[in-house]
Structures are given as C-alpha cells and as structure tokens.
Amino acid sequence: MTCIRLLTSVMPYLDIYGDIHDDLYDPLEGRWLWREALPKGTQISQDLGQVLDKLIQEYVKDRYKSAVEVLDALKPAVVVVPVVEKSQQATVISPSVPTQPVTDSPLVAVNLESEKGIDYSHLARLLAAKNWRGADEETSAKMLEVMQQNSRGYLSEEDIRKFPAKDLQTIDQLWVRHSHRRFGFSVQKGLWVKSGGKAGVYDATVWEKFGDRVGWRVNSQWVYYSELNFTSKAKPGHLPGGTVFGWEGGVLCGVLGLGGIWFLLSRRDL
C-alpha cells in the first residue's frame, strides 16, 4: 500500500464525526481505485499495474506469497526473436515497456442524455470542479425542470415514479463519475440496501440507520440542510441531498422527509 499511497498522494482521513474514510477504496465494489486517483499525466505500465493489483488483493491467498515472488514478477521478460533476413542478428524485446500509453480507466465519460431535452452541461461542469453545493442545487433545479415543477419547488411521490429513467441515470452517473463513486443516487441506494432497505417497503429503523450511515443524522437527530457536508470528505452517499426531497424548514424530517428519497431509492433503474 505504501507504493499506492506515494503514487496517488491519497491518504485515509478522519471526518468531522470521527469516522475513518479512504477515497482510494470503494466499499460497494470491494476494490481499490488507485488508477483513477493517479495525478494527471501519470502512466503506469500494464505489467506494473497487474503487480500492484495483486499486492492489494482483499484475500491474502490471492496475494504474492513472498517478496521473492514480487521481485520475479517485476523482472522484465526477455524474448529473443530471430530476424528472418540475411542478417543473423537478434532483436531483444521487453514486453514490460508499453508501446502505447496506458489509458485504463473504468470511469467512462457520461453521455448527457435526456428524454425531456434537458441540458446537463452546467451540472457536469460543477461536478468536475468539485463544487458539491452548487452541483446539489443544480441537481434539484434540473429535476424540477424535468417534471415541470419549478413553481411548486418539490417533487411528489408520483413525480418520482414517473421521472424519466434516462434523465435519472444521467444525473446519477455524473455524480458517481466525478466523485469516484463516493456520491450519487445509486451509491445511496447501495447503502440503503445494506442497511436493510427493500424496494416499496418503508421501515423507520432502516431509514434511521441509513441516515446515520450517510451523515444525515447526527446523535439521533436529522440535520439541517445547511449542516450538510459539501466537501469531498463527506461520508459516502452523503450527496446529493437535494432540496426537492423533503428538507422541510431546512431539516430532513421522518416519514415526510423521506417521501421523495425513499421512493427514489426504491426505483429498480438505479
């Protein structure tokens, strides 16, 4: 792990609640995101990348058994290729040196698709700039625009049921991509399910556990919207919060507050 930390300069940290977080590890997928965290322009050969991946496998049985195995894996293989010409020279090729730039990146670009002709380019720019509060407000504005509820200022349960799948997925994928899978509706759904959530079933205990898990509840109290943590160090699933989802009087309230979010997380297309 020392090599990964030095390559990415990403270290674990304590949030304001005293919980340890590590932006290099995705708990939902159970994998390390060191490639995505490399500084811009940094290139790692495929061979070295495979060695690093094996060194940080979750199960010990899948890792190298000794330092000797690691050193052997790092040694460039030498292949002698005879030249089929008059000259009897030999060419030495080291496959450890890539002939093409390494561009391995699981987080692909997001197509800004919309069934309602909505322009999501500003949301994409805010997220790329890590302007999380601005992106949260833009998310609310765009979701209201999709359902033509700007004047009302919130989405009903029926609105959420009818919310176009293509638009919902575009918004979600933008959050997931630019936060390296830390934020997004699908991330929230994964944590809600891990807390015991089931589609179409409201359970107050599960909802409170989920609120504690994503940082929407502190000391058994739902927080105010103004108290949300709009930084990259917020708990996984903390964002988007979205004022369209029951932050009544600035605070996320019980059953009334979860009305929007709970129905959203129950959708099968996230």
Side-chain angles (χ1 to χ4, degrees), residues 1-13 20-26 31-35 37-39 42 44 52 55-56 182:
M1 282 306 301
T2 301
C3 181
I4 299 298
R5 299 295 181 191
L6 291 173
L7 282 170
T8 61
S9 299
V10 178
M11 302 295 172
Y13 59 87
I20 299 177
H21 293 289
D22 193 338
D23 290 342
L24 279 185
Y25 186 71
D26 183 350
R31 71 182 189 89
W32 294 93
L33 306 174
W34 65 269
R35 284 185 174 83
L38 289 172
T42 303
I44 302 295
L52 293 175
L55 282 168
I56 57 176
R182 190 174 193 83

Side-chain angles (χ1 to χ4, degrees), residues 190-211:
L191 294 172
W192 175 64
V193 170
K194 283 189 173 183
S195 299
K198 297 179 181 179
V201 179
Y202 169 61
D203 185 318
T205 302
V206 169
W207 180 246
E208 290 177 354
K209 284 172 61 179
F210 170 72

Side-chain angles (χ1 to χ4, degrees), residues 55-72:
L55 282 168
I56 57 176
Q57 286 296 304
E58 183 172 1
Y59 297 108
V60 176
K61 67 181 180 64
D62 296 328
R63 303 173 191 168
Y64 291 105
K65 302 299 185 294
S66 67
V68 174
E69 282 192 17
V70 179
L71 292 173
D72 287 341

Side-chain angles (χ1 to χ4, degrees), residues 141-154:
K142 288 304 178 183
M143 294 187 77
L144 290 171
E145 185 180 347
V146 168
M147 300 308 294
Q148 299 181 342
Q149 298 295 353
N150 301 72
S151 59
R152 191 173 66 185
Y154 68 91

